[in-house]
Amino acid sequence: MKQCNVLFSSSGRRVSLIQHFRKVLNDLKINGVIVTADMKPTSPAAFVSDHHELVPPVSDDRYIPTLKSICKTYDIPSITGTGQR
């Protein structure tokens, strides 16, 4: 079966987007983990994702390394313009 783990950064109030993404995964019978990342532990999206991670502000030097760590933890592939991981 297909697996599609995805990270929504700065997820905030994107509840309907995340719910729709989950519906599509279910309709297509694709297993997947939806992870949201935001500065706030109570961001609305945190309550509709499978996992929610706290991240520093985008302007913080730790932001990108934190996102990379989250991707590694949840086996979320990176996407590049070359189509390679």
Coordinates of all heavy atoms in Angstrom, one line a residue:
M1 N 0.8 -1.2 0.0 CA 0.0 0.0 0.0 C 0.9 1.2 0.0 O 1.9 1.3 0.6 CB -0.9 0.0 1.2 CG -1.9 1.1 1.3 SD -3.1 1.0 2.6 CE -4.3 0.0 1.7
K2 N 0.4 2.3 -0.6 CA 1.2 3.5 -0.7 C 1.3 4.2 0.7 O 0.4 4.1 1.5 CB 0.5 4.5 -1.7 CG 0.5 4.0 -3.1 CD -0.3 5.0 -3.9 CE -0.5 4.5 -5.3 NZ -1.2 5.5 -6.2
Q3 N 2.4 5.0 0.9 CA 2.6 5.7 2.1 C 2.9 7.2 1.7 O 3.7 7.4 0.9 CB 3.7 5.1 2.9 CG 4.0 5.8 4.2 CD 3.1 5.5 5.3 OE1 2.4 4.5 5.3 NE2 3.0 6.4 6.3
C4 N 2.2 8.1 2.4 CA 2.4 9.5 2.1 C 2.4 10.3 3.4 O 1.3 10.6 3.8 CB 1.4 10.0 1.1 SG 1.6 11.8 0.7
N5 N 3.6 10.5 3.9 CA 3.7 11.4 5.1 C 3.9 12.8 4.7 O 4.7 13.0 3.8 CB 4.8 10.9 6.0 CG 4.5 9.5 6.5 OD1 3.4 9.0 6.5 ND2 5.6 8.8 7.0
V6 N 3.2 13.7 5.3 CA 3.3 15.1 4.9 C 3.4 16.1 6.1 O 2.8 15.8 7.2 CB 2.1 15.5 4.0 CG1 0.8 15.4 4.7 CG2 2.3 16.9 3.4
L7 N 4.2 17.1 5.9 CA 4.3 18.2 7.0 C 3.7 19.5 6.5 O 4.0 19.9 5.4 CB 5.8 18.4 7.3 CG 6.2 19.6 8.1 CD1 5.6 19.4 9.6 CD2 7.7 19.8 8.2
F8 N 2.9 20.0 7.3 CA 2.3 21.4 7.0 C 3.0 22.3 8.0 O 2.7 22.2 9.2 CB 0.8 21.4 7.2 CG 0.0 20.7 6.2 CD1 -0.3 19.4 6.3 CD2 -0.4 21.4 5.0 CE1 -1.0 18.7 5.3 CE2 -1.1 20.7 4.1 CZ -1.4 19.4 4.2
S9 N 3.9 23.2 7.5 CA 4.5 24.1 8.4 C 3.7 25.4 8.5 O 2.8 25.7 7.6 CB 5.9 24.5 7.9 OG 5.9 25.0 6.6
S10 N 3.9 26.1 9.6 CA 3.1 27.4 9.8 C 1.6 27.0 9.6 O 0.9 27.8 9.0 CB 3.5 28.5 8.9 OG 4.9 28.8 9.1
S11 N 1.2 25.9 10.2 CA -0.2 25.4 10.0 C -1.3 26.3 10.5 O -2.4 26.3 9.9 CB -0.3 24.0 10.5 OG 0.1 24.0 11.9
G12 N -1.1 26.9 11.6 CA -2.0 27.8 12.2 C -3.5 27.4 12.1 O -3.9 26.4 12.8
R13 N -4.3 28.1 11.3 CA -5.7 27.8 11.2 C -6.1 27.1 9.9 O -7.2 27.2 9.4 CB -6.5 29.1 11.3 CG -6.4 29.8 12.7 CD -7.1 31.0 12.8 NE -6.3 32.1 12.3 CZ -6.7 33.3 12.1 NH1 -8.0 33.7 12.3 NH2 -5.9 34.3 11.7
R14 N -5.2 26.4 9.3 CA -5.5 25.7 8.0 C -6.2 24.4 8.3 O -5.9 23.3 7.7 CB -4.2 25.5 7.3 CG -3.6 26.8 6.9 CD -2.3 26.6 6.0 NE -1.8 27.9 5.6 CZ -1.0 28.7 6.2 NH1 -0.6 28.3 7.4 NH2 -0.6 29.8 5.7
V15 N -7.2 24.4 9.1 CA -8.0 23.2 9.5 C -8.6 22.5 8.3 O -8.5 21.3 8.0 CB -9.0 23.5 10.6 CG1 -9.9 22.3 10.8 CG2 -8.3 23.9 11.8
S16 N -9.3 23.3 7.5 CA -10.1 22.7 6.3 C -9.1 22.1 5.3 O -9.4 21.1 4.7 CB -11.0 23.8 5.7 OG -10.3 24.8 5.2
L17 N -7.9 22.7 5.1 CA -6.9 22.2 4.2 C -6.5 20.8 4.7 O -6.4 19.9 3.9 CB -5.8 23.1 4.0 CG -4.6 22.6 3.3 CD1 -4.9 22.4 1.8 CD2 -3.4 23.6 3.4
I18 N -6.2 20.7 5.9 CA -5.7 19.5 6.5 C -6.8 18.4 6.5 O -6.5 17.3 6.2 CB -5.1 19.7 7.9 CG1 -3.8 20.6 7.7 CG2 -4.8 18.4 8.6 CD1 -3.4 21.3 9.0
Q19 N -8.0 18.8 6.8 CA -9.1 17.8 6.8 C -9.3 17.3 5.3 O -9.6 16.1 5.1 CB -10.4 18.5 7.3 CG -10.3 18.7 8.8 CD -11.5 19.4 9.3 OE1 -12.1 20.3 8.7 NE2 -11.9 19.1 10.6
H20 N -9.2 18.2 4.4 CA -9.4 17.8 3.0 C -8.3 16.9 2.6 O -8.5 15.9 1.9 CB -9.5 19.1 2.1 CG -9.7 18.7 0.6 ND1 -11.0 18.3 0.2 CD2 -8.9 18.7 -0.4 CE1 -10.9 18.0 -1.1 NE2 -9.7 18.3 -1.5
F21 N -7.1 17.2 2.9 CA -5.9 16.3 2.6 C -6.1 14.9 3.2 O -5.9 13.9 2.5 CB -4.6 17.0 3.1 CG -3.4 16.4 2.4 CD1 -2.9 17.0 1.3 CD2 -2.7 15.3 3.0 CE1 -1.8 16.5 0.7 CE2 -1.6 14.8 2.3 CZ -1.1 15.4 1.2
R22 N -6.6 14.9 4.4 CA -6.9 13.6 5.1 C -7.9 12.8 4.3 O -7.8 11.6 4.1 CB -7.3 13.8 6.5 CG -7.8 12.5 7.2 CD -6.9 11.4 7.3 NE -5.7 11.6 8.1 CZ -4.6 11.0 7.9 NH1 -4.4 10.0 7.0 NH2 -3.6 11.3 8.7
K23 N -9.0 13.5 3.9 CA -10.1 12.9 3.1 C -9.5 12.3 1.8 O -9.9 11.2 1.4 CB -11.2 13.9 2.8 CG -12.4 13.3 2.1 CD -13.4 14.3 1.8 CE -14.6 13.7 1.0 NZ -14.4 12.7 0.0
V24 N -8.7 13.0 1.1 CA -8.1 12.5 -0.1 C -7.3 11.3 0.1 O -7.4 10.3 -0.7 CB -7.3 13.7 -0.9 CG1 -6.5 13.1 -2.0 CG2 -8.3 14.8 -1.3
L25 N -6.4 11.4 1.1 CA -5.6 10.2 1.5 C -6.5 9.0 1.7 O -6.3 7.9 1.2 CB -4.8 10.4 2.7 CG -3.6 11.4 2.5 CD1 -2.9 11.5 3.9 CD2 -2.6 10.9 1.5
N26 N -7.6 9.2 2.5 CA -8.5 8.1 2.8 C -9.2 7.6 1.5 O -9.3 6.4 1.3 CB -9.5 8.5 3.8 CG -8.9 8.6 5.2 OD1 -7.8 8.1 5.5 ND2 -9.6 9.4 6.0
D27 N -9.7 8.5 0.7 CA -10.4 8.2 -0.5 C -9.6 7.4 -1.5 O -10.0 6.5 -2.2 CB -11.0 9.4 -1.3 CG -12.1 10.1 -0.5 OD1 -12.6 9.5 0.5 OD2 -12.5 11.2 -0.9
L28 N -8.3 7.7 -1.5 CA -7.3 7.0 -2.4 C -6.7 5.8 -1.8 O -5.8 5.2 -2.4 CB -6.2 8.0 -2.9 CG -6.7 9.2 -3.8 CD1 -5.6 10.1 -4.1 CD2 -7.4 8.7 -5.1
K29 N -7.1 5.5 -0.6 CA -6.6 4.4 0.2 C -5.0 4.5 0.3 O -4.3 3.5 0.1 CB -7.0 3.1 -0.4 CG -8.5 2.9 -0.4 CD -8.9 1.6 -0.9 CE -10.4 1.3 -1.0 NZ -11.3 2.2 -0.6
I30 N -4.6 5.7 0.7 CA -3.1 5.9 0.9 C -2.9 6.1 2.4 O -3.5 6.9 3.0 CB -2.7 7.1 0.1 CG1 -2.9 7.0 -1.4 CG2 -1.2 7.5 0.5 CD1 -2.6 8.2 -2.2
N31 N -2.0 5.3 3.0 CA -1.6 5.5 4.4 C -0.8 6.7 4.4 O 0.0 7.0 3.6 CB -0.8 4.3 4.9 CG -1.7 3.1 5.1 OD1 -2.9 3.2 5.4 ND2 -1.1 1.9 4.9
G32 N -0.9 7.4 5.5 CA -0.1 8.6 5.7 C -0.3 9.2 7.0 O -1.3 9.1 7.7
V33 N 0.8 9.9 7.4 CA 0.8 10.7 8.7 C 0.8 12.2 8.3 O 1.6 12.6 7.5 CB 2.0 10.3 9.5 CG1 2.2 11.2 10.7 CG2 2.0 8.8 9.9
I34 N -0.1 12.9 8.9 CA -0.1 14.3 8.7 C 0.4 15.0 10.0 O -0.1 14.8 11.1 CB -1.6 14.8 8.4 CG1 -2.1 14.2 7.1 CG2 -1.6 16.4 8.4 CD1 -3.5 14.6 6.8
V35 N 1.5 15.7 9.8 CA 2.2 16.4 10.8 C 2.0 17.9 10.6 O 2.2 18.4 9.5 CB 3.7 16.1 10.9 CG1 4.4 16.8 12.0 CG2 3.9 14.6 11.0
T36 N 1.7 18.6 11.7 CA 1.6 20.1 11.6 C 2.7 20.7 12.5 O 3.1 20.1 13.5 CB 0.2 20.6 12.0 OG1 -0.1 20.1 13.3 CG2 -0.9 20.2 11.1
A37 N 3.2 21.8 12.1 CA 4.2 22.5 12.8 C 3.8 24.0 12.9 O 3.4 24.6 12.0 CB 5.6 22.4 12.1
D38 N 3.9 24.5 14.2 CA 3.6 25.9 14.4 C 4.3 26.3 15.7 O 4.7 25.5 16.5 CB 2.1 26.0 14.5 CG 1.6 27.4 14.3 OD1 1.3 27.8 13.2 OD2 1.5 28.2 15.3
M39 N 4.3 27.6 15.9 CA 4.9 28.1 17.1 C 4.0 27.9 18.3 O 4.5 27.9 19.5 CB 5.2 29.6 17.0 CG 6.3 30.0 16.0 SD 6.5 31.8 15.8 CE 5.9 32.5 17.2
K40 N 2.7 27.8 18.1 CA 1.8 27.7 19.2 C 1.3 26.2 19.4 O 0.8 25.6 18.4 CB 0.6 28.6 18.9 CG 0.9 30.0 18.8 CD -0.2 30.9 18.4 CE 0.2 32.3 18.3 NZ -0.9 33.2 17.9
P41 N 1.3 25.8 20.6 CA 0.8 24.4 20.9 C -0.7 24.3 20.7 O -1.3 23.2 20.5 CB 1.2 24.1 22.3 CG 1.3 25.5 22.9 CD 1.8 26.4 21.8
T42 N -1.4 25.4 20.7 CA -2.9 25.4 20.6 C -3.4 25.9 19.2 O -4.5 26.3 19.1 CB -3.5 26.3 21.7 OG1 -3.0 27.6 21.5 CG2 -3.2 25.8 23.1
S43 N -2.5 25.8 18.2 CA -3.0 26.2 16.9 C -4.1 25.3 16.5 O -4.0 24.1 16.7 CB -1.8 26.2 15.9 OG -1.7 25.0 15.3
P44 N -5.2 25.8 15.9 CA -6.3 25.0 15.5 C -5.9 23.7 14.7 O -6.5 22.6 14.9 CB -7.2 25.9 14.7 CG -6.9 27.2 15.3 CD -5.4 27.2 15.6
A45 N -4.9 23.9 13.8 CA -4.5 22.7 13.0 C -4.0 21.6 13.8 O -4.0 20.4 13.4 CB -3.5 23.2 12.0
A46 N -3.4 21.9 15.0 CA -2.9 20.9 15.9 C -3.9 19.8 16.2 O -3.6 18.7 16.5 CB -2.3 21.5 17.1
F47 N -5.1 20.2 16.3 CA -6.2 19.3 16.7 C -6.8 18.4 15.7 O -7.6 17.5 15.9 CB -7.3 20.1 17.4 CG -6.8 20.9 18.6 CD1 -6.4 22.2 18.5 CD2 -6.6 20.2 19.8 CE1 -5.9 22.9 19.6 CE2 -6.1 20.9 20.9 CZ -5.7 22.3 20.8
V48 N -6.4 18.6 14.4 CA -6.9 17.8 13.3 C -5.7 17.0 12.6 O -6.0 16.2 11.7 CB -7.7 18.6 12.3 CG1 -8.9 19.2 12.9 CG2 -6.8 19.7 11.6
S49 N -4.5 17.2 13.1 CA -3.4 16.5 12.5 C -3.1 15.2 13.4 O -3.6 15.1 14.5 CB -2.2 17.4 12.4 OG -1.8 17.8 13.7
D50 N -2.3 14.3 12.8 CA -1.9 13.2 13.6 C -0.9 13.5 14.6 O -0.9 12.9 15.7 CB -1.3 12.1 12.6 CG -2.3 11.6 11.6 OD1 -3.5 11.3 12.0 OD2 -2.0 11.6 10.4
H51 N 0.0 14.4 14.3 CA 1.0 14.9 15.2 C 1.2 16.4 15.1 O 1.1 16.9 13.9 CB 2.4 14.2 15.0 CG 2.3 12.7 15.0 ND1 2.3 12.0 16.2 CD2 2.2 11.8 14.1 CE1 2.2 10.7 16.0 NE2 2.2 10.6 14.7
H52 N 1.6 17.1 16.1 CA 1.8 18.5 16.1 C 3.2 18.8 16.7 O 3.4 18.3 17.9 CB 0.7 19.3 16.8 CG 0.9 20.8 16.7 ND1 0.8 21.5 15.5 CD2 1.3 21.7 17.6 CE1 1.0 22.8 15.7 NE2 1.3 22.9 17.0
E53 N 4.0 19.5 16.1 CA 5.3 19.8 16.6 C 5.5 21.4 16.7 O 5.0 22.1 15.9 CB 6.4 19.3 15.6 CG 6.4 17.8 15.5 CD 6.9 17.1 16.7 OE1 7.7 17.7 17.5 OE2 6.6 15.9 16.9
L54 N 6.1 21.7 17.8 CA 6.4 23.2 18.0 C 7.7 23.5 17.3 O 8.7 22.8 17.4 CB 6.5 23.4 19.5 CG 5.2 23.2 20.3 CD1 5.5 23.5 21.8 CD2 4.1 24.1 19.8
V55 N 7.7 24.7 16.7 CA 8.9 25.2 16.0 C 9.2 26.6 16.4 O 8.3 27.3 16.8 CB 8.7 25.1 14.5 CG1 8.6 23.6 14.0 CG2 7.5 25.9 14.0
P56 N 10.4 27.0 16.3 CA 10.7 28.4 16.6 C 10.2 29.4 15.4 O 9.8 28.9 14.4 CB 12.3 28.5 16.6 CG 12.7 27.3 15.8 CD 11.6 26.3 15.9
P57 N 10.3 30.7 15.6 CA 9.8 31.6 14.6 C 10.6 31.4 13.3 O 11.8 30.9 13.3 CB 10.1 33.0 15.2 CG 10.2 32.8 16.6 CD 10.7 31.4 16.8
V58 N 10.0 31.7 12.2 CA 10.7 31.5 10.9 C 12.0 32.3 10.8 O 13.0 31.8 10.2 CB 9.7 32.0 9.7 CG1 10.4 31.9 8.4 CG2 8.5 31.1 9.7
S59 N 12.1 33.4 11.5 CA 13.3 34.2 11.5 C 14.4 33.6 12.3 O 15.6 34.1 12.2 CB 13.0 35.6 11.9 OG 12.4 35.6 13.2
D60 N 14.1 32.6 13.1 CA 15.1 32.0 14.0 C 16.0 31.1 13.2 O 15.6 30.3 12.3 CB 14.4 31.2 15.1 CG 15.3 30.8 16.2 OD1 16.3 30.1 15.9 OD2 15.0 31.1 17.4
D61 N 17.3 31.1 13.5 CA 18.3 30.2 12.8 C 18.0 28.7 13.0 O 18.4 27.9 12.2 CB 19.7 30.5 13.2 CG 20.2 31.9 12.7 OD1 19.6 32.4 11.7 OD2 21.2 32.4 13.3
R62 N 17.2 28.4 14.0 CA 16.9 27.0 14.3 C 15.7 26.5 13.5 O 15.4 25.3 13.5 CB 16.6 26.8 15.8 CG 17.9 27.1 16.7 CD 17.5 27.1 18.1 NE 16.5 28.2 18.3 CZ 15.6 28.2 19.3 NH1 15.4 27.2 20.1 NH2 14.8 29.2 19.4
Y63 N 15.0 27.4 12.8 CA 13.8 27.0 12.1 C 14.0 25.9 11.1 O 13.3 24.8 11.2 CB 13.1 28.2 11.4 CG 11.8 27.9 10.8 CD1 10.7 27.7 11.5 CD2 11.7 27.8 9.4 CE1 9.4 27.4 10.9 CE2 10.5 27.5 8.8 CZ 9.4 27.3 9.6 OH 8.2 27.0 9.0
I64 N 14.9 26.1 10.1 CA 15.1 25.0 9.1 C 15.6 23.8 9.7 O 15.1 22.7 9.4 CB 16.0 25.6 8.0 CG1 15.3 26.7 7.3 CG2 16.4 24.5 7.0 CD1 14.0 26.4 6.6
P65 N 16.6 23.8 10.6 CA 17.1 22.5 11.2 C 16.0 21.8 12.0 O 15.9 20.6 12.0 CB 18.2 23.0 12.1 CG 18.7 24.2 11.5 CD 17.5 24.9 10.9
T66 N 15.1 22.6 12.6 CA 14.0 22.0 13.3 C 13.0 21.3 12.3 O 12.6 20.1 12.6 CB 13.2 23.0 14.1 OG1 14.1 23.6 15.0 CG2 12.0 22.4 14.9
L67 N 12.7 21.9 11.2 CA 11.9 21.3 10.2 C 12.5 20.0 9.7 O 11.9 19.0 9.5 CB 11.6 22.2 9.1 CG 10.6 23.4 9.4 CD1 10.4 24.2 8.1 CD2 9.3 22.9 9.9
K68 N 13.8 20.1 9.4 CA 14.5 18.9 8.9 C 14.5 17.7 9.9 O 14.3 16.6 9.5 CB 16.0 19.2 8.6 CG 16.2 20.1 7.3 CD 17.6 20.3 7.1 CE 17.8 21.1 5.8 NZ 19.3 21.3 5.5
S69 N 14.6 18.1 11.2 CA 14.5 17.1 12.2 C 13.1 16.4 12.3 O 13.0 15.2 12.4 CB 14.9 17.7 13.6 OG 14.7 16.8 14.6
I70 N 12.1 17.2 12.1 CA 10.7 16.7 12.1 C 10.5 15.8 11.0 O 10.0 14.7 11.1 CB 9.7 17.9 12.1 CG1 9.8 18.7 13.4 CG2 8.3 17.4 11.8 CD1 9.0 20.0 13.4
C71 N 11.0 16.2 9.8 CA 10.9 15.3 8.6 C 11.6 14.0 8.8 O 11.1 13.0 8.4 CB 11.5 16.1 7.4 SG 10.5 17.4 6.8
K72 N 12.8 14.0 9.4 CA 13.5 12.8 9.7 C 12.7 11.9 10.7 O 12.5 10.7 10.5 CB 14.9 13.1 10.2 CG 15.7 11.9 10.4 CD 17.1 12.3 10.8 CE 18.0 11.0 10.9 NZ 19.4 11.3 11.3
T73 N 12.2 12.5 11.7 CA 11.4 11.8 12.7 C 10.2 11.1 12.2 O 9.9 9.9 12.5 CB 11.0 12.7 13.9 OG1 12.1 13.3 14.5 CG2 10.1 12.0 14.9
Y74 N 9.5 11.7 11.3 CA 8.2 11.2 10.7 C 8.4 10.6 9.3 O 7.4 10.3 8.7 CB 7.1 12.3 10.8 CG 6.8 12.6 12.2 CD1 7.3 13.8 12.8 CD2 5.9 11.8 12.9 CE1 6.9 14.2 14.0 CE2 5.6 12.2 14.2 CZ 6.1 13.3 14.8 OH 5.8 13.7 16.1
D75 N 9.6 10.5 8.9 CA 9.9 9.9 7.5 C 9.1 10.6 6.4 O 8.4 10.1 5.6 CB 9.5 8.4 7.5 CG 10.1 7.7 6.3 OD1 11.1 8.1 5.8 OD2 9.5 6.7 5.9
I76 N 9.3 12.0 6.5 CA 8.7 12.8 5.4 C 9.8 13.1 4.4 O 10.8 13.7 4.8 CB 8.1 14.1 6.1 CG1 7.0 13.8 7.1 CG2 7.6 15.1 5.0 CD1 6.6 14.9 8.0
P77 N 9.6 12.7 3.2 CA 10.6 12.9 2.2 C 10.7 14.4 1.8 O 9.7 15.2 1.8 CB 10.1 12.1 1.0 CG 8.7 12.0 1.1 CD 8.4 12.0 2.6
S78 N 11.9 14.8 1.4 CA 12.1 16.2 0.9 C 11.8 16.2 -0.6 O 11.9 15.1 -1.3 CB 13.5 16.6 1.1 OG 14.4 15.8 0.4
I79 N 11.4 17.3 -1.1 CA 11.1 17.4 -2.5 C 12.0 18.5 -3.1 O 12.1 19.6 -2.6 CB 9.6 17.8 -2.8 CG1 8.7 16.7 -2.2 CG2 9.3 18.1 -4.2 CD1 7.2 17.1 -2.2
T80 N 12.7 18.2 -4.2 CA 13.6 19.1 -4.8 C 13.1 19.3 -6.3 O 12.3 18.5 -6.8 CB 15.0 18.6 -4.8 OG1 15.1 17.5 -5.6 CG2 15.5 18.3 -3.4
G81 N 13.7 20.3 -6.9 CA 13.3 20.6 -8.3 C 13.8 19.5 -9.2 O 13.4 19.4 -10.4
T82 N 14.7 18.6 -8.8 CA 15.3 17.6 -9.6 C 14.5 16.3 -9.6 O 14.8 15.4 -10.3 CB 16.7 17.3 -9.3 OG1 16.8 16.8 -7.9 CG2 17.6 18.6 -9.4
G83 N 13.6 16.2 -8.7 CA 12.8 15.0 -8.5 C 13.5 13.9 -7.7 O 13.1 12.8 -7.6
Q84 N 14.6 14.3 -7.1 CA 15.4 13.4 -6.3 C 15.2 13.7 -4.8 O 14.9 14.9 -4.5 CB 16.9 13.5 -6.7 CG 17.2 13.1 -8.1 CD 18.6 13.3 -8.4 OE1 19.4 13.9 -7.7 NE2 19.0 12.8 -9.6
R85 N 15.5 12.7 -4.0 CA 15.4 13.0 -2.5 C 16.7 13.3 -2.0 O 17.7 13.0 -2.4 CB 14.9 11.7 -1.8 CG 13.5 11.4 -2.1 CD 13.0 10.2 -1.4 NE 13.1 10.4 0.0 CZ 12.6 9.6 0.9 NH1 12.1 8.4 0.5 NH2 12.7 9.8 2.2

